[in-house]
Amino acid sequence: MHGFQPKKRICVIGAGASGLAALKVISDTSHFKSSTWSVTAFESRESVGGIWSAAPPTSDPPLTPLYDSLTTNLPHPIMAFTSHSFPPSTSLFPPAKVVLDYLKSFAHRFDLLPLIRFNTTCWLVSTSTREILAFDHVIVANGHYRLPRIPNIPGVDHWLRTRKASHSAWYRSPQALGHKVLVVGGGPSGQDIAAEMRSCATTVIHSYTGATSEGDEHFKRVGRALRFYDDGRVLFEGDVVEDEIDYCILATGYKFDFPFFDSDVIRTEQVPSHSTLPSDLYNSTYHVFPLAKFIFPLQSHYPASTLAFMGLPFKVVPMPLVEAQAYTIVRVFSDPSSLNEQEEAQKLLARQGASTSTEQAKIWLRFEGMEQWDYRDNLFAFAAQSGDCPAVKVRRWERTMYLGKKVLRDAWRDLESRGKAHEWVEGVGENGIEEWVEMMERLLKHAKEGEKSFLREGLCHIVERKISTYLRYKEKFVT
């Protein structure tokens, strides 16, 4: 019996992108291959894919907020796992069905399906099949686009009760909701829905924080909504009032939600303070605190290495990031002493940037500037110290294309509208990722040349108008 190692049992909650990344990295380890580790993922739905797996909005809340026209807002070469590319010739900003197929192919390629129990909801110690199971470690990968966040705006509850408003989680496609429709929220879904609803409503009003009031009788932008009145009026920042609004779609985001945990694992309430570390783990619904490396809970009730959260940061490229998190989790599960909790605590205490606890919670997981790249590099470097992980580094072109994502997306939509998009990607990727990099560089150049052409055309029109005005003036007044 000498040399026998007890089996380490690992539970993964969710089989979306994060859960699949965890399964792949764990199943690649020598621990798993030698059967000293086992891993089981529990997925409440019938297949992998998480948010990318479409479903009608019949449950409350819906299984996914996926609407019919959704495409990625990142070019797929930078959003893919480092271990698995999208197929050659894939649309640069693919629709959700293509992303779902990509995740399914990832699961098949790395033989992950036998590790997943589908149609099974997981609680702390039991499953929906009434089995009681014991695990040494739990990885939370349940996503954070399920529980709608309803803004705390006076009067909005009445609109929801009287069915004059709904959250965008229920939105699937534009439909007749009245002549005048309000969309609240400035994120990607809010922007998409505000644009789409113009095909069905006489007037669309798009409200979001920081917007400048502008527009015409068909489409208007206004600032943050301050009050909803029962008679169909809404007050916005700057004392702007819109009346006779027929319907409102709230594209106002989602709450972090971990219904499978009891309050002794995580408390769902506001964090008392960020200036000292609490002894409990908190879910403010905006963030989870305190987490070492934004993954491991630093609290006093159970070892930090027994529980890990994946995919919480936002304003990031998610799939390679959760891949890096998975490698980090494997190192800490294998060697808990590798997590320097005192050092991690000091990093958390130094991360301050807001005047109130609520505002701190809202920005805590929002990565700005270079932060996501440094975070990814640091995770891979940490994991590589074990000798079991490649020291992957973010490539320069990834940063460049991320910064240019809006230019690329606008240019891509223009190509699609003119039926030219397929020509740009046909065969691209058959000889590796470098072909995608070259294609995106060409598209950025094409977009810049188009912008210069647009400016030249605009300047020509201005000059032509000035000449025409001068000639009319000369003809009328100069003899």
Side-chain angles (χ1 to χ4, degrees):
M1 296 294 289
H2 290 292
F4 174 76
Q5 290 180 284
K7 177 176 277 192
K8 196 181 287 276
R9 297 153 298 183
I10 302 171
C11 165
V12 178
I13 302 176
S18 295
L20 293 176
L23 290 176
K24 193 269 180 186
V25 172
I26 291 169
S27 63
D28 279 346
T29 65
S30 58
H31 306 292
F32 179 84
K33 291 175 181 177
S34 64
S35 298
T36 56
W37 283 15
S38 68
V39 62
T40 304
F42 296 92
E43 169 55 50
S44 62
R45 300 177 67 184
E46 70 283 351
S47 66
V48 302
I51 187 177
W52 297 102
S53 182
T58 52
S59 59
D60 186 7
L63 292 172
T64 172
L66 191 68
Y67 45 94
D68 297 349
S69 66
L70 181 72
T71 64
T72 67
N73 58 3
L74 296 171
H76 69 74
I78 69 170
M79 72 174 281
F81 292 121
T82 63
S83 56
H84 188 63
S85 298
F86 279 75
S89 306
T90 296
S91 170
L92 189 60
F93 292 87
K97 176 62 167 61
V98 173
V99 180
L100 177 61
D101 290 342
Y102 166 80
L103 292 173
K104 287 180 176 179
S105 73
F106 181 85
H108 281 286
R109 176 182 173 185
F110 298 110
D111 197 26
L112 305 181
L113 295 179
L115 306 176
I116 306 170
R117 293 180 59 170
F118 294 105
N119 297 308
T120 305
T121 303
C122 185
W123 286 273
L124 181 60
V125 295
S126 62
T127 71
S128 55
T129 57
R130 299 188 182 278
E131 297 171 273
I132 296 177
L133 306 172
F135 293 94
D136 302 288
H137 302 276
V138 174
I139 298 174
V140 180
N142 66 322
H144 45 83
Y145 294 103
R146 180 76 194 277
L147 188 62
R149 183 179 299 282
I150 303 301
N152 186 23
I153 304 173
V156 74
D157 287 343
H158 177 78
W159 282 48
L160 289 165
R161 286 195 304 271
T162 57
R163 299 192 176 184
K164 278 179 64 71
S166 63
H167 193 275
S168 60
W170 279 267
Y171 176 86
R172 291 298 178 268
S173 60
Q175 55 184 298
L177 297 172
H179 294 292
K180 198 171 187 178
V181 174
L182 169 64
V183 178
V184 176
S189 60
Q191 294 176 36
D192 287 347
I193 294 169
E196 288 189 356
M197 285 303 300
R198 296 172 73 175
S199 66
C200 293
T202 305
T203 303
V204 172
I205 303 164
H206 190 192
S207 162
Y208 55 94
T209 301
T212 302
S213 295
E214 60 181 0
D216 54 32
E217 59 182 319
H218 300 299
F219 184 75
K220 301 178 183 179
R221 289 187 181 89
V222 294
R224 183 166 54 96
L226 301 178
R227 177 176 288 276
F228 286 74
Y229 295 95
D230 295 354
D231 60 3
R233 291 179 299 135
V234 177
L235 170 67
F236 303 93
E237 287 178 314
D239 289 329
V240 175
V241 176
E242 290 288 342
D243 57 10
E244 298 182 332
I245 295 174
D246 297 301
Y247 200 82
C248 173
I249 299 173
L250 298 166
T252 47
Y254 298 83
K255 297 179 179 181
F256 286 118
D257 185 40
F258 311 105
F260 36 80
F261 284 145
D262 293 332
S263 59
D264 59 345
V265 177
I266 185 168
R267 298 175 62 170
T268 304
E269 57 187 87
Q270 188 59 262
V271 177
S273 171
H274 291 81
S275 59
T276 58
L277 292 192
S279 58
D280 296 313
L281 182 66
Y282 286 85
N283 169 24
S284 71
T285 74
Y286 289 103
H287 78 326
V288 178
F289 183 87
L291 293 179
K293 300 185 184 297
F294 301 99
I295 300 172
F296 306 101
L298 295 179
Q299 38 61 60
S300 61
H301 303 293
Y302 47 89
S305 60
T306 58
L307 181 59
F309 292 82
M310 292 184 69
L312 299 186
F314 54 97
K315 298 286 185 182
V316 298
V317 180
M319 291 185 195
L321 184 142
V322 297
E323 207 171 11
Q325 288 183 327
Y327 280 108
T328 295
I329 290 167
V330 162
R331 184 182 178 199
V332 172
F333 283 4
S334 178
D335 178 15
S337 67
S338 66
L339 184 67
N340 188 329
E341 295 188 24
Q342 286 188 331
E343 181 181 304
E344 294 296 333
Q346 290 304 313
K347 289 179 182 178
L348 292 178
L349 294 175
R351 183 184 171 83
Q352 305 293 328
S355 57
T356 68
S357 186
T358 300
E359 288 305 311
Q360 188 73 68
K362 289 180 179 180
I363 67 172
W364 189 260
L365 292 166
R366 182 190 302 154
F367 282 12
E368 303 286 1
M370 305 295 285
E371 191 173 8
Q372 68 163 312
W373 314 122
D374 293 341
Y375 176 65
R376 239 167 81 183
D377 283 347
N378 290 337
L379 289 184
F380 271 119
F382 171 82
Q385 291 174 25
S386 67
D388 296 327
C389 165
V392 178
K393 293 208 72 170
V394 176
R395 294 156 291 188
R396 179 177 293 181
W397 65 262
E398 293 179 82
R399 303 171 190 244
T400 301
M401 298 310 163
Y402 183 82
L403 290 173
K405 61 185 183 295
K406 186 180 186 307
V407 175
L408 286 168
R409 196 180 190 208
D410 289 345
W412 186 252
R413 284 177 166 175
D414 178 63
L415 291 174
E416 287 182 322
S417 70
R418 294 189 287 114
K420 301 283 188 180
H422 182 69
E423 299 173 13
W424 279 71
V425 296
E426 187 172 10
V428 174
E430 291 178 354
N431 298 305
I433 191 65
E434 292 77 13
E435 292 186 347
W436 283 112
V437 177
E438 189 273 334
M439 177 264 167
M440 289 187 289
E441 289 173 344
R442 283 194 297 114
L443 186 55
L444 281 175
K445 184 178 179 181
H446 170 79
K448 290 176 182 177
E449 289 175 349
E451 186 178 275
K452 289 178 181 177
S453 175
F454 176 79
L455 290 173
R456 283 196 300 269
E457 289 176 7
L459 181 61
C460 287
H461 288 313
I462 292 171
V463 172
E464 287 172 2
R465 286 200 301 271
K466 286 184 177 294
I467 291 173
S468 177
T469 301
Y470 169 73
L471 290 175
R472 288 198 302 271
Y473 171 84
K474 182 178 179 182
E475 182 179 342
K476 186 173 182 179
F477 297 105
V478 180
T479 56

